[in-house]
Amino acid sequence: MTAPRRAGRSRRNNRLWAGAGLIALAVVVLALTFVALTQNRSVPGAGTTPGSSPSATPEATRSEPPSATPAPVARPLAVPGRLIAAIDASSAVRAGATACPEPTTIEVTSDGGATWETAEPAPVSEVQRVAAGDDAFVDLIGLGVEGCAPAYERSFTSGDAWQPVPEELDASWFVDPSNRAGVHAPAGDLSAPCGVVVQLAVIDANAAAVLCEDGSVHATSDAGASWRSAAPVVGAAAIGTNGTAYRVAVVDQNGCVGAQLVELTAGDAGLVPGAAGACLAATVGAGEVAVDSVVGGATWLWAGDALGRSEDGGVSWL
């Protein structure tokens, strides 16, 4: 009778162990399922920078409304490597500023710039002032090819022959390329009204203006005893005069790919820039601008690969 009781107890133990095994198996399955689910779930913000959150739809790019007048664009101001002297609406003389001691060669036109005649090389280099007249005279101020000191050369035959006129040098306005912190006036040497003078424009013995490296313009009417200044002219590249006022050529401004003229007038607080004139379309590199006007007459603007003539001070171009 004892043997049957042990058999029943054994069967009960087997059922208990089987139930425990099923429970353990269920726990393992649940644990594995949880691990699989958590591994496949994306981590919020993964792959983004701290403080950012991904968005299903990108936010539209915000932009400022277009301005009616493009903002001025600053450009490096270089010493002009060319000069032009207006004679009238159809005649002018131009020159490139060669490095000393290389002689300068001028070109002369009498048909509005359609053709140019090359003159004999002048014994002056680094030319920084040119004057011309309808009686075939041409004056150059630069550095003499012998010694590379300031020199004044004159021709009465449109450049076919040259002669030195040192007496004119002392009585003239000019800038020595070796010292652009100074200006020579008819009354003697002066300190420049700015750090570096890029170009000089002259009306008469008392009146002149300098264009400085920072784009500012300073003018005097008392032979340099005092100077009136203007705020930097953005895009300034060269300065000239119409005999009574100064004109600055600006490049790549106001939506113009090329050059324009800005006239400076005297105001209570200094020189006041006017509105820019018409655009002379051109591709212009640093130092590739020259401007000059006949008193009460035509204006010539040589900018990059373009040559413009105007009878209204740059309001329009021929």
Side-chain angles (χ1 to χ4, degrees), residues 60-141:
T61 302
R62 301 172 65 182
S63 60
E64 297 296 328
S67 175
T69 302
V73 179
R75 59 181 283 134
L77 182 53
V79 175
R82 56 176 60 176
L83 295 163
I84 195 165
I87 298 174
D88 54 38
S90 58
S91 301
V93 174
R94 68 183 185 183
T98 57
C100 195
E102 182 182 352
T104 296
T105 299
I106 68 166
E107 295 179 305
V108 181
T109 184
S110 58
D111 54 13
T115 60
W116 293 85
E117 181 179 350
T118 302
E120 291 295 317
V124 61
S125 60
E126 296 193 40
V127 175
Q128 48 105 1
R129 281 195 62 193
V130 178
D134 55 9
D135 54 357
F137 90 85
V138 180
D139 286 353
L140 301 179
I141 298 179

Side-chain angles (χ1 to χ4, degrees), residues 173-315:
W173 288 93
F174 65 88
V175 176
D176 185 341
S178 66
N179 178 26
R180 292 190 172 274
V183 177
H184 180 84
D189 292 331
L190 306 170
S191 294
C194 60
V196 177
V197 175
V198 169
Q199 194 175 28
L200 178 72
V202 178
I203 291 178
D204 56 35
N206 292 315
V210 292
L211 173 62
C212 300
E213 190 177 42
D214 62 358
S216 63
V217 177
H218 303 259
T220 180
S221 58
D222 53 14
S226 62
W227 297 85
R228 300 169 68 91
S229 62
V233 181
V234 179
I239 188 171
T241 174
N242 65 355
T244 58
Y246 302 101
R247 290 172 174 157
V248 176
V250 298
V251 175
D252 296 340
Q253 302 298 313
N254 315 300
C256 166
V257 179
Q260 299 167 282
L261 292 185
V262 174
E263 186 161 313
L264 304 177
T265 57
D268 293 337
L271 299 174
V272 181
C279 178
L280 177 65
T283 300
V284 186
E288 293 183 346
V289 181
V291 60
D292 191 41
S293 301
V294 180
V295 176
T299 296
W300 290 66
L301 177 59
W302 184 18
D305 56 359
L307 180 69
R309 294 174 297 128
S310 176
E311 294 181 346
D312 52 20
V315 175

